[in-house]
Amino acid sequence: MPVSEPIPVPLFDYIGIPHFQRWMNGGKFDDGQLSKSQKDIRDFYKSLLNFTLNSDALMGKFKEIQRINRNEAKRYGPGIYSYVRWTAKEKLIVVVNFSWSTTSDFELKVPEEVIKTWDLKDGFYPIKDQLCGSVAHLKVTDGKGIIELSVKPSESFIFNFEKNKTLSSLKGFCFLFSYRLFSIWANRDNFYRYFNFTFYKFNVVF
């Protein structure tokens, strides 16, 4: 059948495929001519693909935590989606921002059912993003978990943690204190208001 209108051609499908040529770098195949943004994209997908090859939990049990966060978490952006996957060896908390324009700052809720299934005691648990290496903390209080997050447009996190790694009460307090100071230092009105903050009660696993 004849084509009545021009068909859009993907970027890499014309003669020379220049971006691929930059990666080839004159036969060195070392991405030497790629821009920083191109290298960042390549590194991201390299980390993602390697993780999917080695992760045990990605083929394990699944539970969405979208509903509780959509209903209860303040500032949980409309583009955010979250769920958990786990096996006996590995536990993952996945958060994705499908918005390309909105940053979401919120406290992700990990429901009591998940905390009980994972057999987590009250305390602070360091969790590490498997894509970019950043570290956050899961705080469990009265059998319910929260994670303070700031998720940029199109950003994703795959948090992994080991339940036997916890912070002491002093370290947990110092971490939260330092984190909040750093987060609000740029706004001095908020900085001074911070010292009127009523501190949380800490029930921490030693």
Side-chain angles (χ1 to χ4, degrees), residues 12 17-26 29-43:
F12 293 102
I17 46 176
H19 296 290
F20 180 65
Q21 295 292 335
R22 290 174 188 154
W23 175 78
M24 289 178 61
N25 193 22
F29 300 96
D30 61 357
D31 68 29
Q33 296 183 35
L34 293 181
S35 67
K36 183 181 184 304
S37 62
Q38 290 172 324
K39 289 181 180 180
D40 289 343
I41 292 174
R42 183 177 183 275
D43 288 343

Side-chain angles (χ1 to χ4, degrees), residues 36-84:
K36 183 181 184 304
S37 62
Q38 290 172 324
K39 289 181 180 180
D40 289 343
I41 292 174
R42 183 177 183 275
D43 288 343
F44 173 83
Y45 281 103
K46 179 180 177 181
S47 297
L48 177 61
L49 292 172
N50 284 332
F51 177 75
T52 60
L53 289 174
N54 298 309
S55 173
D56 184 61
L58 287 181
M59 299 300 292
K61 295 182 179 179
F62 169 90
K63 179 174 177 57
E64 59 84 19
I65 55 175
Q66 178 76 355
R67 185 176 306 173
I68 187 173
N69 281 283
R70 179 67 65 214
N71 294 335
E72 299 182 15
K74 296 180 180 179
R75 302 182 301 278
Y76 189 81
I80 301 294
Y81 182 71
S82 57
Y83 62 92
V84 295

Side-chain angles (χ1 to χ4, degrees), residues 137-157:
H137 287 80
L138 168 64
K139 176 187 174 184
V140 179
T141 305
D142 297 330
K144 299 178 181 179
I146 60 170
I147 306 169
E148 292 192 9
L149 290 177
S150 178
V151 190
K152 298 177 183 177
S154 301
E155 188 173 32
S156 302
F157 295 108

Side-chain angles (χ1 to χ4, degrees), residues 124 139 141 169 172-174 176-177 199-204:
F124 287 86
K139 176 187 174 184
T141 305
S169 57
F173 173 82
C174 290
L176 183 60
F177 184 83
F199 293 101
Y200 294 112
K201 293 181 180 179
F202 294 97
N203 295 314
V204 180

